[in-house]
Amino acid sequence: MKKISAVFDGLKFADSTLAYAIKLAESTKALLSGVFLESFLYNSYRLDDLIGSHGLSQVKMKHLLEKDKETRLRSAGIFEQACKKAHISYSIHHDPSFSVPEVLRESIYSDLLLVSAGETFSHVPGQPPTHFIRELMAGTQCPVLIIPAEYQEIEKVVLLYDGKPASVHAIKMFNYMMPWLRSKATEVVSVADTHDTAELPDETLVREFIACHYPAATYTLLNGDPEEELLTYLKNSSKNSLVVLGAYQRSGVSRWFKSSMADRLMKAINAPLFIAHH
């Protein structure tokens, strides 16, 4: 049995995160943990909402706090009812502290985190990747599935491979977490720099490894600047796909699976991204 933790903002409940979480938990017979963050610095109201005819109103504050509490409980209730309807094992965590540290603590004890690409846990709107997502990805202790705004059935898996340990590790973790997707169409995509020979890195080894898990996988080798080629290719072929990529942080571990690559994918394509550190 695996443990999947789905991260929710109880004040702005993400239906797509719930849909993906239920599907994954059903398919892998996992324990689904709903992580409802409740930072005391984040509420639905603004400071000017507390101003009455005589200045700061304690009555208004009490009313608005109670309203937020009801909204958060209602969101947790939606999660609970969905889990019961799907007959999956579940738990609910209410974490009343700073958002990012609480999620990172959850990641230590989870096999996989699910979170919407647009989550901010803030009044300030943001485009993916938000500040919250950047901080989460920099410190997570388990793989993360970044969820798009709308749910879509997964019909294809795209494995991004650059011949480095990070990309292979991501494929291993994905295979461990989502073996039920082995039956889906699978494509291994790699990019050769314009100065490199157009061949798959460690071709014999990687084909042998992939064949053990995805025997029907196809291979696509692009040529040119990795980021630009990948973005162009995935924009045109990522519909109903799930994309798997390696290390998020900038490092020497991976030549082109770095933070900017993942960031640009979050902005450019409307597909779930499975991201694993090495």
Side-chain angles (χ1 to χ4, degrees):
M1 195 173 192
K2 300 179 179 69
K3 180 184 176 184
I4 298 174
S5 294
V7 180
F8 294 99
D9 177 348
L11 298 178
K12 296 182 292 186
F13 191 74
D15 293 323
S16 62
T17 301
L18 177 62
Y20 277 103
I22 293 294
K23 178 65 175 180
L24 264 63
E26 283 182 316
S27 301
T28 59
K29 310 299 181 187
L31 168 66
L32 179 58
S33 174
V35 182
F36 289 84
L37 301 177
E38 302 179 8
S39 173
F40 54 85
L41 296 177
Y42 168 52
N43 296 288
S44 65
Y45 55 86
R46 300 178 182 275
L47 182 60
D48 54 4
D49 295 326
L50 303 177
I51 305 301
S53 57
H54 300 288
L56 188 65
S57 171
Q58 294 297 325
V59 174
K60 280 192 173 185
M61 179 181 289
K62 182 179 179 181
H63 172 74
L64 291 170
L65 284 172
E66 190 63 32
K67 185 179 179 181
D68 278 2
K69 181 179 179 180
E70 292 174 359
T71 302
R72 287 176 168 130
L73 289 175
R74 186 162 55 249
S75 295
I78 293 171
F79 171 84
E80 183 173 24
Q81 289 304 311
C83 291
K84 288 181 177 179
K85 183 178 180 180
H87 303 289
I88 60 177
S89 300
Y90 70 94
S91 63
I92 297 176
H93 296 176
H94 293 280
D95 294 328
S97 185
F98 294 104
S99 298
V100 171
E102 285 301 316
V103 176
L104 295 182
R105 187 164 65 92
E106 290 275 351
S107 75
I108 297 171
Y109 305 100
S110 300
D111 292 296
L112 178 69
L113 275 180
L114 271 69
V115 63
S116 172
E119 290 290 15
T120 61
F121 292 95
S122 167
H123 289 298
V124 182
Q127 294 298 316
T130 66
H131 179 71
F132 172 80
I133 294 296
R134 285 175 179 271
E135 285 196 279
L136 168 62
M137 291 308 305
T140 181
Q141 298 297 312
C142 72
V144 178
L145 187 65
I146 302 293
I147 303 299
E150 297 182 3
Y151 176 80
Q152 58 185 22
E153 286 290 335
I154 298 171
E155 298 176 358
K156 179 183 177 181
V157 174
V158 179
L159 308 174
L160 302 187
Y161 168 70
D162 70 344
K164 302 300 180 182
S167 61
V168 179
H169 174 73
I171 296 171
K172 289 178 181 178
M173 294 304 297
F174 172 74
N175 183 58
Y176 160 72
M177 280 307 307
M178 302 184 193
W180 55 281
L181 286 174
R182 292 173 186 164
S183 62
K184 302 295 183 180
T186 304
E187 180 184 22
V188 179
V189 178
S190 189
V191 183
D193 285 343
T194 52
H195 301 297
D196 293 344
T197 304
E199 61 181 22
L200 202 64
D202 293 329
E203 183 165 357
T204 300
L205 290 173
V206 72
R207 285 182 179 271
E208 184 177 79
F209 168 68
I210 294 294
C212 291
H213 305 290
Y214 308 98
T218 60
Y219 292 80
T220 298
L221 181 60
L222 307 173
N223 193 274
D225 177 79
E227 289 191 10
E228 297 303 326
E229 292 297 326
L230 272 178
L231 287 172
T232 300
Y233 184 77
L234 292 175
K235 280 180 182 179
N236 297 324
S237 63
S238 63
K239 183 176 175 59
N240 293 100
S241 295
L242 183 151
V243 180
V244 178
L245 64 154
Y248 181 86
Q249 295 170 306
R250 289 187 181 274
S251 69
V253 173
S254 176
R255 182 163 49 114
W256 42 275
F257 291 146
K258 54 191 177 184
S259 60
S260 60
M261 182 71 245
D263 290 349
R264 294 181 71 181
L265 286 178
M266 287 183 218
K267 295 176 184 177
I269 66 173
N270 185 35
L273 302 177
F274 182 97
I275 304 173
H277 287 297
H278 180 243

